[in-house]
Amino acid sequence: MRSSTLAAVLAFGSTAFAAQLTQVSNYGGSAKAKPGMWVYKPDTVKSDALVVAIHSCQSSAQKYFANSKIPWHQGSDRKGYVTVWPSSTTECWDVSSKASLTHDGGGDSNAIANMIKYAITQYKIDPAKVFVTGGSSGAMMSNVLAATYPELISAVSLYSGVPAGCFVSSSGASAAWNNSCSGGQSTATAQKWGDVARAMYPGYNETRPRMQIWHGSVDGTLSPNNYQETIKQWTNVFGVSTTPTSSKPDTPEKNYRMDDFGPNIEGIWAVGVGHSVPSHLDASEAWFGL
């Protein structure tokens, strides 16, 4: 066989057997909501960690996976961890209804928790290495998951979201838009925001996921005010001050500022950046310890 032909065959073979985003048709659980579950398992698994990447509105697991600004599958290839890509059945994630804002309530958050449980068993994931990330509506869901299923998640890195419970629907509708919250008019004390998060899983007093919160200063879709409200929420949950313990200008890049509120909360304020803040793989992976 000529070398050029052999090279072509080898190239074809490597492509044919390359890792692909694959749907899991039945991930189990009793949640009424049934968003799709997609998994990317790299060709070489080198880590027992799991990253759950949650898409924005008007997107899907496939679109989010293919988005060049969402680099989590490249991180998966590079470091060998499995990624799960939930796919909503509605335009945006349900971060509004009681079903989704309650532990084991049967909503979207419950379904994603079931995906995590499935992945832990199926892919031999260390339960202490489950991480969640998302942008916009996916960031909102990341916050909701941190409140409703803290026992399943070790750390969160969310981009351009709102506090958990901020998008609550007065009518009980799922995936409802909340103009007051998106416009930045939903403000409260740190105690009130903390109470909202705690009420999603009453009686839970164990470890909470470490929270990394990103927001752009000129976000025209989800008001920048939501950054401070989210900081209020999680600093209260962790019982720490809203005053940063340290601050690093131009980190992780120019015009970004990284504020730490003790070891469990980190805020990144992106000056001049709109909606949504581009994913920073290295900084998010560092937060996760990957």
Side-chain angles (χ1 to χ4, degrees), residues 166-180:
C166 188
F167 250 56
V168 64
S169 169
S170 58
S171 67
S174 63
W177 191 260
N178 186 310
N179 287 321
S180 176

Side-chain angles (χ1 to χ4, degrees), residues 39-245:
V39 176
Y40 183 73
K41 182 181 178 183
D43 288 329
T44 303
V45 176
K46 298 181 286 187
S47 169
D48 55 358
L50 174 72
V51 173
V52 181
I54 309 175
H55 67 72
S56 54
C57 286
Q58 299 174 323
S59 188
S60 66
Q62 300 96 312
K63 291 178 182 177
Y64 206 55
F65 181 84
N67 190 331
S68 61
K69 295 181 180 179
I70 311 300
W72 285 99
H73 68 280
Q74 289 97 325
S76 178
D77 284 333
R78 184 178 65 183
K79 295 193 174 180
Y81 51 79
V82 173
T83 48
V84 163
W85 304 73
S87 199
S88 178
T89 57
T90 53
E91 186 173 282
C92 299
W93 288 103
D94 175 13
V95 291
S96 308
S97 73
K98 184 176 181 181
S100 203
L101 297 177
T102 305
H103 181 80
D104 289 344
D108 279 355
S109 62
N110 196 168
I112 296 175
N114 290 337
M115 295 180 199
I116 292 172
K117 293 173 184 177
Y118 174 92
I120 287 172
T121 300
Q122 186 70 22
Y123 306 107
K124 298 180 174 58
I125 302 299
D126 181 346
K129 297 179 183 176
V130 175
F131 309 108
V132 172
T133 187
S136 191
S137 182
M140 298 186 207
M141 178 53 76
S142 298
N143 259 332
V144 167
L145 284 167
T148 51
Y149 295 93
E151 79 282 12
L152 292 180
I153 303 165
S154 295
V156 173
S157 180
L158 62 97
Y159 291 81
S160 309
V162 303
C166 188
F167 250 56
V168 64
S169 169
S170 58
S171 67
S174 63
W177 191 260
N178 186 310
N179 287 321
S180 176
C181 180
S182 65
Q185 285 84 47
S186 297
T187 60
T189 63
Q191 181 67 43
K192 176 69 178 297
W193 279 127
D195 288 345
V196 169
R198 285 183 287 267
M200 294 185 195
Y201 191 175
Y204 182 81
N205 293 310
E206 305 302 320
T207 303
R208 299 271 180 179
R210 299 167 64 248
M211 304 298 295
Q212 186 185 61
I213 300 147
W214 303 71
H215 216 106
S217 70
V218 293
D219 191 331
T221 302
L222 296 174
S223 169
N225 291 349
N226 284 300
Y227 171 76
Q228 190 57 44
E229 300 307 301
T230 306
I231 293 293
K232 286 182 189 177
Q233 183 170 63
W234 293 109
T235 51
N236 182 263
V237 168
F238 278 99
V240 298
S241 172
T242 55
T243 301
T245 52

Side-chain angles (χ1 to χ4, degrees), residues 18-30:
Q20 297 180 9
L21 188 67
T22 304
Q23 186 170 19
V24 173
S25 58
N26 183 13
Y27 50 84
S30 59

